[in-house]
Every structure is written in structure tokens, then in C-alpha cells.
Amino acid sequence: RDGYPLIELWDMNLQKRIHVYDIKLDEIYKKANISEPERAERLKRPLLLSDGSIIISQVGKEKAILKLDKCGNFLKANKEFRTHHSLEQTKDGSIYTATLLDKSYVNDYKNLHPKNYTFDGFIEFDDNLNIKKSFSLLDIYAKNKLLGDVYNYGSPELINDVFHVNDVQPYISESGDKYAFISHLRNSRVMAINLENMKVLWFLERATNLQHDVDILNE
């Protein structure tokens, strides 16, 4: 509609338009008490509920989540989290979406992160936008001993330091073949390389956490 958001419900099998939501953005911004974004509002990925109402994430500068009735009128907004991307509903009615978290939602937060570190997570909420639970990916990584995949050691300059090799352990086999074991801090990875053909023989990943030194044990 000349750059103005339009949401329609279609029967794709019949190629027939079933319903049109009359979206009044200015009214929605005012009632939801959210700010108009710098770019044109797109109202992406609306989730259709059984009563014909829709839920939309990432609205306004606040990236709020909204609920509109079947006519497109504002019902409710939740600005606690900055929401984005997909909206998915489970059989029991819970809805999930990705979020950008504030530091206060990260358990045991330590100043080991660069200033521009993004605290990703997701939330579970009901169909009336009441938050049921929030999840921090940083916490999930920590519980599963995967922090070595994401840490950048607190400096923005280290973001592009993809491998951060800590150790190169050479090894010559009884047959005279030359190998090297490489310790990558970034992905908590130890990699074995054939130095003759540069072929990666294997890598051991996530068995350790931010490891450094590789040694050969004689058995």
C-alpha cells in the first residue's frame, strides 16, 4: 500500500484472499507507546492465532512484540525484550521468538565480553504476550561446556581472531610421516594435520574448554 504495511490472509490452494487486516500504524505506535523506527515498518512474520488475531515481533525502535485483533486493532504490547525473527507456536499454545537480552538476564555475567557483544536468547510466552520464561544462549553454552565457541576474551579487537592458535605440536610417526596437532582456542578445537599434503585428519571439538597446550603421551 504505497510503502504502508499490508497483511492479508490467503488460501494458497484456492489462490483466494480470505481476509485483510486494516493496519493503522500511527494508532498502534501511540497505544503501544513505542517509537517509530528509522526505517519503514514492515511488520514481518505475523503469527496467526485460532481466533484470527495476529502476533508480530520486532515492531518500532523498541523491537516490541504486539498483538492485534482480527480487524487489525491494537490489543497489547510487550516491550520487556527486543524481539526479532521467527514466531513459532507449540501444541500447548506457548509461543517462542528470538530476543536480544540485557546483561541483567545473563547469569553470572563477567566482564569478559567485548562492548559490542550481542547477548542472544529467546523467550517463551502465552498468546496474550505474558512472558513465561526467558533463555540466555550464553547460559546454555556455559551449562553445556561450549563457551569456548563464543568467547572473545573481552576485547573488540579479538572478534576477527577466528582461530587463535595456542600451540603447534609436531609429531613424526615411526614410518617417518610428519604431522602437527593444532590447538585452536576459539572453537575449543584440537586439529590433526598431515604436513606432507596439508590434509586435516581429524579434529577434536568441545571435549575441552579454551585449551592451550597439546602434548604427546608415550604409551
Side-chain angles (χ1 to χ4, degrees), residues 151-167:
Y151 269 138
N152 286 311
Y153 272 80
S155 172
E157 286 74 28
L158 291 179
I159 291 176
N160 294 323
D161 184 9
V162 179
F163 302 110
H164 199 106
V165 174
N166 289 313
D167 185 35

Side-chain angles (χ1 to χ4, degrees), residues 113-201:
H113 311 91
K115 294 180 180 179
N116 57 349
Y117 185 88
T118 300
F119 291 98
D120 290 287
F122 55 97
I123 55 173
E124 176 190 4
F125 56 97
D126 63 24
D127 59 8
N128 201 32
L129 304 188
N130 297 308
I131 304 298
K132 300 173 71 174
K133 193 173 183 179
S134 63
F135 303 84
S136 163
L137 283 182
L138 190 64
D139 292 341
I140 292 174
Y141 267 57
K143 290 178 181 179
N144 289 275
K145 302 185 185 304
L146 300 177
L147 286 179
D149 289 0
V150 297
Y151 269 138
N152 286 311
Y153 272 80
S155 172
E157 286 74 28
L158 291 179
I159 291 176
N160 294 323
D161 184 9
V162 179
F163 302 110
H164 199 106
V165 174
N166 289 313
D167 185 35
V168 179
Q169 175 68 55
Y171 171 72
I172 300 177
S173 69
E174 293 182 356
S175 61
D177 295 321
K178 296 182 179 180
Y179 303 91
F181 299 96
I182 313 296
S183 174
H184 294 171
L185 179 141
R186 285 289 164 258
N187 290 317
S188 294
R189 174 180 294 177
V190 177
M191 179 181 293
I193 301 174
N194 185 315
L195 294 179
E196 299 295 336
N197 56 21
M198 296 297 107
K199 181 179 179 180
V200 174
L201 304 177

Side-chain angles (χ1 to χ4, degrees), residues 22-201:
D22 185 17
I23 306 298
K24 299 181 177 65
L25 264 184
D26 293 339
E27 181 178 312
I28 291 174
Y29 289 146
K30 184 176 180 179
K31 290 184 176 181
N33 192 26
I34 57 178
S35 307
E36 183 176 354
E38 296 178 0
R39 296 182 179 181
E41 192 76 77
R42 294 173 59 190
L43 298 182
K44 296 174 281 190
R45 298 172 290 275
L47 176 66
L48 177 66
L49 302 183
S50 59
D51 63 356
S53 61
I54 53 176
I55 292 178
I56 307 169
S57 65
Q58 197 175 338
V59 182
K61 286 185 178 180
E62 294 83 356
K63 298 184 183 295
I65 189 164
L66 303 180
K67 184 176 183 179
L68 308 179
D69 69 13
K70 61 183 179 181
C71 296
N73 298 314
F74 173 79
L75 290 176
K76 189 175 180 180
N78 192 316
K79 299 183 290 182
E80 182 176 350
F81 294 93
R82 293 172 291 162
T83 60
H84 61 93
H85 285 86
S86 66
L87 285 165
E88 301 291 346
Q89 189 172 30
T90 60
K91 292 181 179 179
D92 65 1
S94 292
I95 299 171
Y96 290 78
T97 190
T99 63
L100 300 175
L101 299 174
D102 184 81
K103 293 178 182 178
S104 61
Y105 289 96
V106 180
N107 293 333
D108 300 322
Y109 172 75
K110 298 178 181 179
N111 294 319
L112 294 176
H113 311 91
K115 294 180 180 179
N116 57 349
Y117 185 88
T118 300
F119 291 98
D120 290 287
F122 55 97
I123 55 173
E124 176 190 4
F125 56 97
D126 63 24
D127 59 8
N128 201 32
L129 304 188
N130 297 308
I131 304 298
K132 300 173 71 174
K133 193 173 183 179
S134 63
F135 303 84
S136 163
L137 283 182
L138 190 64
D139 292 341
I140 292 174
Y141 267 57
K143 290 178 181 179
N144 289 275
K145 302 185 185 304
L146 300 177
L147 286 179
D149 289 0
V150 297
Y151 269 138
N152 286 311
Y153 272 80
S155 172
E157 286 74 28
L158 291 179
I159 291 176
N160 294 323
D161 184 9
V162 179
F163 302 110
H164 199 106
V165 174
N166 289 313
D167 185 35
V168 179
Q169 175 68 55
Y171 171 72
I172 300 177
S173 69
E174 293 182 356
S175 61
D177 295 321
K178 296 182 179 180
Y179 303 91
F181 299 96
I182 313 296
S183 174
H184 294 171
L185 179 141
R186 285 289 164 258
N187 290 317
S188 294
R189 174 180 294 177
V190 177
M191 179 181 293
I193 301 174
N194 185 315
L195 294 179
E196 299 295 336
N197 56 21
M198 296 297 107
K199 181 179 179 180
V200 174
L201 304 177

